[in-house]
Amino acid sequence: MTTVSEIFQTMAYGPAPESDKQAREWLAKHGGEGGLGGEFGLFVGGSWVKPASGEWFDVINPATTQRIARVPQAGKADVDAAVAAARAAFPGWSGLPGHVRARYLYALAREVQRHARLLAVLESMDNGKSIRETRDLDIPLVTRHFYHHAGWAQLQESEFAGATPVGVVGQIIPWNFPLLMVAWKVAPALAAGNTVVLKPAEFTPLTALAFAEIVAEAGLPPGVLNVITGDGRTGALLVDHPDVDKIAFTGSTEVGRVIRKATAGSGKKLSLELGGKSPFIVFDDADLDSVVEGVVDAIWFNQGQVCCAGSRLLVHEGVAERLVAKLRARMEKLRVGPPLDKAIDMGAIVAPVQLERIRGLVSKGVEEGATMWQPSWACPTEGYFYPPTLFTDVSPAATIAQVEIFGPVLVAMSFRTPKEAVELANNTPYGLAASVWTENINLALDVAPKIKAGVVWINCTNVFDAASGFGGYRESGFGREGGREGMWEYLKLQWDEGRGTGDGSKRSVAKGASRRTRPSSPVPLPPIDRTYKMFIGGKQARPDAPYPRAIVAPDGRRLAEVGEGNRKDVRNAVEAARAAEGWAHTTGHTRGQILYYIAENLATRTDEFAARIDAMTSCGPERARAEVDAAVSRLFTYASWADKYDGQVHPTTIRGVTLAMNEPIGVVGIAAPDDLPLLGFVSLVAPAVAVGNTVVAIPSEIHPLAATELYSVLETSDVPAGVINIVTGSKDELSKVLADHLDVDAMWYFGNRAAAAEVERASAGNMKRTWAEWHARDWLEPREGEGREFLREATQVKNIWIPYGE
Ligand code: NAI
């Protein structure tokens, strides 16, 4: 007699297909051939329009290789029309009370829910991902995103008081989560009052088009959301469009870099969510069976085409062999097949080009000597399928350990100590996400802050929620999507209206010229032949070049000489700043105490500093004194903030806590404005160091003496060596060097537009975050010169997910 356990052994799955009838009907409704060749228009100004370009391309179902639709390749005139429609809709939409926008977003959530089945099936057909994922994950998360952001629209006036929408936003999204990316982009943008031109990926435009229809059904005013299809050329047109105020992009780091360069100096706000090579760290006390399921979700979810896929398995040596054996057994049981089959684990790869990329990288892995393992069963031969793949014996420098494969390929490496695990985890240029598996919460919470990543999942992986920000560190990009932090990507501060004009100085100070002459100060001036060095690594350091730069008063008097900094000085300063990284691990209390101490030492020398400022700028003794007083007050402000700029606990949908931690960015380059040379300098350096960054600061080029005079204040204020480094010289040249430097993590530039553009372009090298301004700020005015805006720029949010329960 056959036993039950024998039946379990032999039981084969029967097919359990989800019906595609509704999706086919929807495609047929849009014209085309026999219901399987829907031909779409562009969604502009609330209706479907034919593309002026007259060009179309096919949309293919990757599981069947059949054409399922044709969509337009939008050209310049089409992009212009979409941007114009968004611009026309902006005053009306942004002028609505938050509550009205909240109602619209709520309606979108409801409409998506109502159409959930159509959208889930369409997504599977278009992308090749399994219906289980589209139905149970993608679409519910889309809905959740709109509900959550309906809430932010409602609360906007109170929670983001003083902030206004950015304007017309261009959004460019990838093919791996087509509708989810629509939601991540569109929901916060619309909630905040922006209008949108959205370009879905060329491989997967259909659910974005279906969503456009939903937007119309929900009664949103025409032009609030416009959807244009096309490939990278359309994306580039949108990026370059002069009437777009912000670009939000998700995709490859290569294209992210192109967009960073293209928008440099344009004044467009930018957020980039790029690639990753995320570590999945398993300590020897982890529950290995949970780990196996975690790995399945980390790398075989969505065929591994996930920017935050746990693609590098880092295992403690002691359990590596056991875990690999368990993983292989599990891989034998995974099922690859038709995405609409409800019992399928993995569907198809999105397109032949992606399949080729995966194959190429897997061959490279084998060539480089790693051991490749795949299950014994075969994938379907029709359609673009690829089996789950595991590499062992991988060296950390191997191509497959460094390059984003974006496929179902896991590379395993082992470590001996937590320190080694962290080093391996951080050993790529990326920093998107990480998973940490251990039953020891102390270990988990010790390791999580050390990993350079925007999200850390503890004993879980690939968990997302609208309440929690998602986004990267380092070459994984900048900006966050979701949560309160994500809303800031679509807002600007009200006083900042009219951005994009001016030359960085309220009083347009001419270089070294005698702009205004005033009677000389009543306070005796310091000796005029003083020569200042640089301030590097806590010491006054001789500049590399022996030719000093003369600093001249407006009336032509020579006041002093400062070092003419060059590439070598910047290099030394960056090295010193990097070596002082321990600053990030001091307590907020300690950092606050040191800032207070700087303030105290500066205050005791108020007269001397005021005289210096007046001599340099001829601003008059009263104004000079007011500037010193304001600088002291500003130092107090950030001394206060140092232990108060706390994070949040996001109420996400897991049972547990999601900690949003404000972390320092690392080494920050700062080029200070010319206006108010002491206050401008302090207003930027103080917030950066208050939250744990170390800085390389370039003072005002024409009025550097207030900053050089600070050397001795810093020396007597217990500032650890290397936390604040100061290099004098040509501001724009030195800024470019800092922006180019691969070991600088962020660059702030306050000056002229051309140099700001250079800084933004150069930052693309390691995708460092930039804050470049060329319009004037009133540094004396607290609303413009201090506060949360500065602290936000000085930090990046890491979300740490900690589920509860056994
Ligand atoms: P991609 O970065 O080229 O495409 C993403 C989006 O950007 C698409 O909508 C595309 O049309 C658009 N685009 C392309 N060139 C553009 C340009 N010059 N200006 C403006 N927009 C442009 O990614 P692709 O080619 O689809 O995939 C290539 C690789 O990128 C993948 O193998 C994967 O490694 C990575 N990738 C990463 C994603 C992520 O979420 N981090 C998403 C998609 C791809």
Side-chain angles (χ1 to χ4, degrees), residues 197-225:
V197 179
L198 173 80
K199 191 201 84 64
E202 53 272 41
F203 297 137
T204 55
L206 296 181
T207 46
L209 294 168
F211 179 75
E213 225 170 52
I214 285 176
V215 165
E217 273 169 33
L220 270 81
V224 168
L225 174 78

Side-chain angles (χ1 to χ4, degrees), residues 59 169 315 401 468 485 507 690 748 795:
V59 181
V169 180
V315 190
S468 173
E485 57 263 38
R507 298 172 299 134
W748 299 357
T795 49

Side-chain angles (χ1 to χ4, degrees), residues 664-744:
I665 301 171
V667 175
V668 180
I670 296 177
D674 288 331
D675 230 14
L676 297 157
L678 175 66
L679 183 61
F681 185 86
V682 166
S683 299
L684 295 168
V685 171
V689 299
V691 294
N693 298 290
T694 58
V695 305
V696 176
I698 308 162
S700 156
E701 178 174 333
I702 46 172
H703 305 316
L705 303 183
T708 53
E709 207 60 62
L710 273 180
Y711 296 172
S712 52
V713 172
L714 297 175
E715 279 168 340
T716 52
S717 303
D718 293 346
V719 181
V723 170
I724 301 176
N725 305 278
I726 303 173
V727 178
T728 52
S730 159
K731 181 163 107 180
D732 293 355
E733 279 169 30
L734 294 172
S735 296
K736 170 79 167 51
V737 176
L738 274 169
D740 272 326
H741 200 301
L742 295 182
D743 206 28
V744 171

